[in-house]
Amino acid sequence: GGKKTAAAGASPIKVGIVNLPPEESGYRQANVEDMNKTFAAANGYEARQTNTADNSEQIAAAAGYIRDGVDYLLISAANASGWDNVLKSAKDAGVKVFLFDRLIETDASNYQAALVSDMYAEGSIAMDWLLKQGLGAYNVILIRGQLGSAAEKGRSDAVLKARDAGKIKLVADGTGGDSWSLEEARKVVEAAITAGKDFNVIFAENDGMAQGAVQALDAAGITHGKGGKVKVIGFDFNRFALRNVQAGYWDLDVQCSPRQAAQIAGWIQDLKAGKPIPSGIVYQTEIGIDTASITNDIVLNKGINADPGEGVITR
Amino acid sequence: MRRVKATGFHLLLPLSVLAFLVVVNVIKGVDYFSLSVINGALYGNIPNILFGASELVVLAVGMTLVTSSSGGQDISVGVAGAITSSVFVAILLGADKITWWTIFAGFLAGCAVGVLIGAFNGSLVAVFKVQPMVATLILFTAGRSVAFLIDGKLSPILANDLTSRIGGVMPGVFIQTPILLTAVFIALIALLLKTTNLKLYAQSVGVNEKAARLNGIDPVAVKLLTFMLLGVCTAVAGFIAVCKAGRHDSVNLLKYIEMDAILAVAIGGNALGGGKFSVTGSIIGAYTIEVLNRTLLRLEVDTEAIKAVKAVFIIVLMVLASPVVRGYLANAVRRPRSGTQTGTVAEEAEDGWVSAPDAFRGREAP
Amino acid sequence: MRTVKGRETLSNSNLLFMIAAVIFVLMYALAMAIYPGSFLQLQTFFDLFSLNAPLIILTCGMSIVMIGGGIDISVGGVTGLVTMCCAVFLESGGGDVWSSMILALGIGIAFGLLQGFLIAYLEIQPFIITLAGMFLANGLLTTIHKDPLNVTLPGFVALRDAELVIPLLGSHNRLGNFIPLGIKIGAFVVVALVIALAVLMKWSRFGRNLYAVGGNSQSALMLGINVKRTKFQSYLICGSLSGIAGFVYIMTTGAGNVGNASGFEMKAIASSIIGGTMLSGGVGNLLGSPVGALTLLTINELIRAAGVNSNLQAIASGLLLCVFIVLQGVVVRLRGGGNLARALPSWLPAGKTTGKGK
Amino acid sequence: MHTQIVLEMRGISKAFPGVRALHNVDFTLRRGEVHALMGENGAGKSTLIKVMTGVYAKDAGRITIDGATIHFRSPQEAQNFGVGTVYQEISLCPNLTVAENMFIGRGRRGFVNWNRMNGDATRLLESLCIPARPTQELSNCSLAVQQMIAIARAVDMECKILILDEPTSSLDEDEVRRLFALMRELKSRGVGIVFVTHFLDQVYEVSDRITVLRDGELVGEYAASSLPQIELVAKMLGKELGDVAGIRNRRPRTAESGIPVFEATGLSSAAGVRPFDFSIHKGEVNGFAGLLGSGRSESVRAIYAADKVTGGSVRVNGKSVRIGKPIQAMKLGIGYLPEDRKGDGIIAELSVRENIILALQVMEGFFKPFSRKQAEAFADEYIRLLNIKTPSTGTPIKALSGGNQQKVILARWLLTHPEYLILDEPTRGIDVGTKVEIQKLVLKLAEEGVSVTFISSEIEEMLRTCSRLIVMRDRCVVGELEDSGLTQNDVMHVIAGGAEKPCDE
Ligand SMILES: Nc1ncnc2c1ncn2[C@@H]1O[C@H](COP(=O)(O)OP(=O)(O)OP(=O)(O)O)[C@@H](O)[C@H]1O
Ligand SMILES: Nc1ncnc2c1ncn2[C@@H]1O[C@H](COP(=O)(O)OP(=O)(O)OP(=O)(O)O)[C@@H](O)[C@H]1O
Ligand SMILES: [Mg+2]
Ligand SMILES: [Mg+2]
């Protein structure tokens, strides 16, 4: 990431940001905050942000920004398609487009660069870690997120591949629904427990659902975490999740960084300075953290959302 | 004329639906009713259902009242629950130390905010005559952001023993606390309906507002009151939900619950067009939805198909319980004995069973 | 011999439509004054149609059902399902544009038939059935295909990119290049449908019967109207429109996706009501439906142009909605104190009484 | 040519939950006759009609029209078959225009020609002298006009059978006369007309034949000329009617002295009634007389604050009070039985019991609900007192016959033991027997010290009960008539315009 300080007196860089609404998820809240903070007036930007989960509203907003004459357009698309026209008019108007967090299915020449998380890689990080645990049998409960979402596809993929390869057994395959719901996740695990299923891994596709699953385990008196019967895996690097890992209450959390703003701002500064910047898809590098590798530094610097403090676990 | 003691006929719809689901579950495995004691609390399918449905039950009760008096539905209940619980959490985290007293104070503050929200929605509906779904659309749109702002920081965490006992189980008590809270709530509502004329007033206003006014009822006040009561319900639901979750997630807390709450009211045999209502029906309706969701999990329906299967379930149940199909069945049963048994059937009508499902038909006397 | 005093009164349907239209025009004019950069460009206005054609079409369907005293929660779900089915079909290799249109319409009609039958002939509450319909559509969608699917069939892509270019009405972009005004096919579909449906509701036997059924179904029955069939037809039309909207949707975005049109049911209901349709039935004007939808969309555009802080955007749009709704309520109330409220208590606005038919 | 019979119903039975509305009823209608269908409230007249037109499915029996057995499954089929019906409770759509209400559901054309429809409607309205514009929304028309529109619709249908269920209940004499002329004309064209009413005079004026029902059973069919009025009443009630003439003697004197129970000066309301003065003493019965739409209902609504009161001062028992809402009037001991039973009176879906106790319950307050037992006791008492026909106290009021619904609303107000009771058309749709009972009841109440304002479109009825008549024209009080010597003619004279005082703005 580049540190940017605007030359005093220079006219601000106009940026239009089309994003999903912060109400969408904790990830998005962090992402939106990050955008707002980075592209603040103090840093020499005049940024406007439209937050909506509706594709047509997003496209309308992008078109509006182009008409308003922004210099850069940053897009996190709700829907991977339908953007061709608007991207072309951006090109015609000399507006540079950066995609972040979500890809758009279009010709790569239609945008400058896309900075995204690799959901497939995230799934693989978790699966690779799991298969190294030497559990003997892997009886997994998979709790998916919103079906069809990029995160669900990528993260499920690793599990399904491992199953097809006969490395693990999928004992239950549920979903937290469109809201990645803690409650729904809890129900999935409860159903497995009351049906007398034997399982030793919970692969929950985000932290909230992992928490719901853990609640179900606790209520049923099933041990988990370090030294426990069930391995618990979550995603997103919420600080509370990291603290749970730190306390040995959960086993693994995989990062999915919402902080793309600094990187993109760096590119913008580079462009201004005439330096070359990458084009096409750029994946963020992400990590998985287990009870052994966790440090306070990671929790504080890489985690997102509220920090309950060291040693505090969420029941 | 003769007194007929047969009550609860209007509960036939929700009860038969529930019974059907239970039968499906038992066919899947007789262990359905098995109970055990884990960590000092009862554990099993039934406690899980009661536990899981608590918020929905509370909201369904409030939704029933609002539906009755205003003839419309509040779609902001989930959002309102997120707001009230954010206030609760803010107060708890603002206190030096979390005690039963701070929890109580936070809960009361949540209720107060709930009442305010109810007053806002209610006055749009009652004073400005906005249709409820649109009036509550305002909060539905804006509410989660409000909760987010109240949270101040992102998803504050309620890591303490007291609230996790409220969301889990109290030491020495056999039953999970949310189940008990729901029971207390239902008892209080029963008491409220018993000791006040709320039911009569709400129904009168819902059926014929003009006539109600000419009989001295203030329709504005009654609608406001039901909305404020629903506000309290959202506070209770929010309280239970956030204590269960241990974390205030302004994004996902009670998300999409409004549709379930409305569905519960409808499954409970209540007309969504207002008027006569049965709180018992709605409560059973709420549990029915919970059982339905868990049945699908128990049957291990394919994740991708789960919604479609749920839809088919609902449609089949509703067809079986529809007035027309029921009419055929009833006719088949009644025919041989017509003329003699008049009693039970008359009571049918009284409890709104006959008229209930006519939600969106024009209501008026024949 | 008594004579009638010659006061001409607007019907409630027209009154509510007028209010919606006037408030919308005022709002747009105000927006043009405050944010000329955005709103003075014609493209902004036409984009409202081009980009939101599916929503407007759904709003029309919703209005029709609501005029008949019903509701249809499934419209968004069906639209989403249609986009995915069309995408899968077009990408399967065997599909062409015309048969995919028929497929879209067919799915819509199928839902309309099923829901209409259950609601009209089995007398089940519309809310439950159509909510189940929404679940069904969502479930079928994820069962068929859950990943986003871009349609690459050339014929379809041509259709997707087709637009009417009006050079005279364009504007200059940031670099000073002149960009002509472009209008997408969806916008024309909308205009055609709105006109057709408005004519249907105003002049056809079905349309008038539906108003009667929504106003008071019991009376409608006594007046010799086939209430069940009329209701059935209203759901059928709404279902078909969902199908059409689905096709227009995929024609706009070019892809099938799980999230397509999700939440449109609420937006359609809100648009309908803002456009002057009453949920309780019997009151509404089809021309109001696009006005209602455009009002909601303009609110979004306003918030964008104003550059409201991300966290406050939802709150701002809620507030604007609130202002709009209260304004509408106040106008109706003021109006209600006049002619319409003859024999009614003065505080009771006229709209209410006819709506319920009591 | 098989006889003149156009409609024949044999052995018709129909049961509702808890009631046997019709049992083995026969009915025969001949071409070109007016056939009155008579019976007490709840005798089954409306049900017979609805069974005939396919609103209800019959449990047993056979219906033939022109010799062919028919079975209508919906009113639509009946209508297409040439059966025109005006139902008892006006069944029109409030949100449609007058013209639409006249023509909707008729014909086979797929599209509406508004110009032609409005033109036809204008002609029809003019020919029947109905004061309404075709493009007006129906809800803007008064009840009477709505009733006329419903009749116009049925009459225009070129039907072979015309059924009129209490068409005259809210019409004034002039309109009734016009309706009768119309009926005679249709009759001469060979239309068979079924006519239901509770006005005996009207029966004898137009009917050729009378069929009497009692408690859902057929009493008999008679030629009108051979059935004296007294006998008809006896057949309807199953017993002799008490002496109507006797009532008059017991008419209460006006208590001239003392402070009025209720006194208003310059009262006016948002509904448009001009400021008027009004007072009533303890034990007095007075009434508002006037033509249809002259503002009688609006005046009493202003007294009860049913419409927004816009001016004037009110004193109750000499004390100056403000009545801004119905509840305030109720608390001051005023009761009000509204004119529009369906719109303002009944709470359709609620039970008879709840409808009876409603007003008293509201006065008791929000926090003092009656126990179920108490409520039952109240309901039972008044069901017995007013002889309300209902299967049980728990039956929804909408399942009762029109007249019995009216009695329930009356019971509601009697239960509150008001000091001052306003009855706006309490006898509308009430059978002769009960009508007399209600008149007696009013006088008995007056004797007990209750003041009553009694409005009726039958002047005769008012003369019998009221000691003072306030005459209205064009929404303003034009005179006051007192003393016993009054005849119907005197009243008509004042109403018609021999104004005692001009209507001042
Ligand atoms: N829809 C219904 N459901 C249940 N009972 C009904 C219904 N309609 C009528 N009844 C009952 O059938 C009986 C006959 O009613 P009906 O309306 O035919 O009387 P009616 O002779 O027309 O009386 P009125 O002169 O008061 O109009 C009454 O006891 C009434 O309670
Ligand atoms: N619903 C209505 N809409 C418009 N005007 C009405 C309505 N009801 C009554 N009016 C008009 O109000 C005036 C007074 O009506 P009101 O009902 O008080 O008359 P009334 O003397 O009681 O006659 P009625 O015999 O109809 O009861 C009349 O001009 C009438 O036409
Ligand atoms: Mg009758
Ligand atoms: Mg009157």
Side-chain angles (χ1 to χ4, degrees), chain A residues 38-180:
Chain A
T38 307
F39 294 103
N43 296 335
Y45 295 97
E46 185 193 317
R48 297 228 169 125
Q49 191 164 168
T50 293
N51 307 78
T52 168
D54 186 295
N55 198 49
S56 42
E57 286 175 12
Q58 282 199 332
I59 293 175
Y65 286 130
I66 296 168
R67 280 197 290 277
D68 288 354
V70 295
D71 303 316
Y72 297 94
L73 188 56
L74 276 50
I75 302 172
S76 174
N79 210 328
S81 52
W83 287 91
D84 286 3
N85 280 327
V86 89
L87 293 183
K88 275 199 202 90
S89 67
K91 210 192 260 174
D92 293 344
V95 177
K96 285 247 172 337
V97 177
F98 290 101
L99 308 184
F100 63 97
D101 173 44
R102 296 197 177 189
L103 288 175
I104 287 175
E105 292 200 20
T106 184
D107 195 80
S109 67
N110 281 337
Y111 55 88
Q112 179 64 42
L115 182 63
V116 295
S117 292
D118 187 345
M119 302 295 178
Y120 291 88
E122 289 172 17
S124 302
I125 291 175
M127 208 18 98
D128 293 348
W129 174 88
L130 183 62
L131 294 174
K132 279 200 221 102
Q133 299 307 302
L135 294 184
Y138 290 96
N139 295 320
V140 180
I141 294 184
L142 171 63
I143 308 173
R144 309 180 190 223
Q146 179 183 24
L147 296 182
S149 63
E152 184 266 330
K153 273 165 49 199
R155 293 169 191 172
S156 302
D157 186 66
V159 179
L160 299 179
K161 279 212 184 99
R163 180 200 56 188
D164 294 343
K167 293 180 190 155
I168 63 162
K169 205 176 134 219
L170 211 50
V171 172
D173 179 359
T175 171
D178 296 353
S179 59
W180 304 74

Side-chain angles (χ1 to χ4, degrees), chain C residues 342-343, chain D residues 139-142 291-298 339 425 475:
Chain C
R342 275 296 107 203
Chain D
S139 56
N140 294 349
C141 299
S142 68
L291 287 179
L292 197 88
S294 56
R296 297 166 298 176
S297 301
E298 286 171 1
E339 170 184 33
E425 309 270 10
R475 305 200 196 179

Side-chain angles (χ1 to χ4, degrees), chain C residues 2 5 7 339-344, chain D residues 136 138-146 170 271 290-299 301 339 424-425 428 455 457 472 475:
Chain C
R2 281 164 290 137
K5 293 183 197 91
R7 56 180 132 81
N339 291 337
L340 284 170
R342 275 296 107 203
L344 319 172
Chain D
Q136 213 178 358
L138 184 85
S139 56
N140 294 349
C141 299
S142 68
L143 269 186
V145 170
Q146 293 188 21
S170 48
L291 287 179
L292 197 88
S294 56
R296 297 166 298 176
S297 301
E298 286 171 1
S299 303
R301 285 179 72 91
E339 170 184 33
D424 194 355
E425 309 270 10
R428 168 176 295 171
I455 300 177
S457 20
M472 300 201 64
R475 305 200 196 179

Side-chain angles (χ1 to χ4, degrees), chain C residues 43-65:
Chain C
Q43 186 74 50
T44 307
F45 183 74
F46 282 103
D47 274 0
L48 290 180
F49 284 94
S50 296
L51 297 173
N52 299 292
L55 177 62
I56 301 177
I57 295 172
L58 290 184
T59 307
C60 290
M62 187 67 81
S63 297
I64 288 177
V65 173

Side-chain angles (χ1 to χ4, degrees), chain B residues 1-3 194-198 200-201 203 208 210-211 213-217 276 345 349-350 363-364 366, chain D residues 304-306 326 330 342-344 346 349-350 353 361-362 365-367 369 376 380 390-391 394 398 412-413:
Chain B
M1 308 220 100
R2 87 243 140 253
R3 287 277 152 280
K194 188 95 194 142
T195 57
T196 69
N197 282 316
L198 181 64
L200 183 67
Y201 280 34
Q203 290 182 346
N208 189 342
K210 273 200 287 171
R213 201 187 82 95
L214 289 179
N215 283 291
I217 298 173
K276 290 214 68 156
V345 197
E350 175 189 6
R363 287 193 316 264
E364 36 97 72
Chain D
Y304 187 71
M330 287 163 70
K342 195 160 127 190
D344 292 341
I346 62 168
E349 255 118 287
L350 296 194
R353 177 185 60 244
Q361 181 67 83
V362 171
F366 185 71
F367 292 101
E376 291 285 355
D380 278 340
T390 169
K398 66 176 177 182
R412 175 192 294 169
W413 289 108

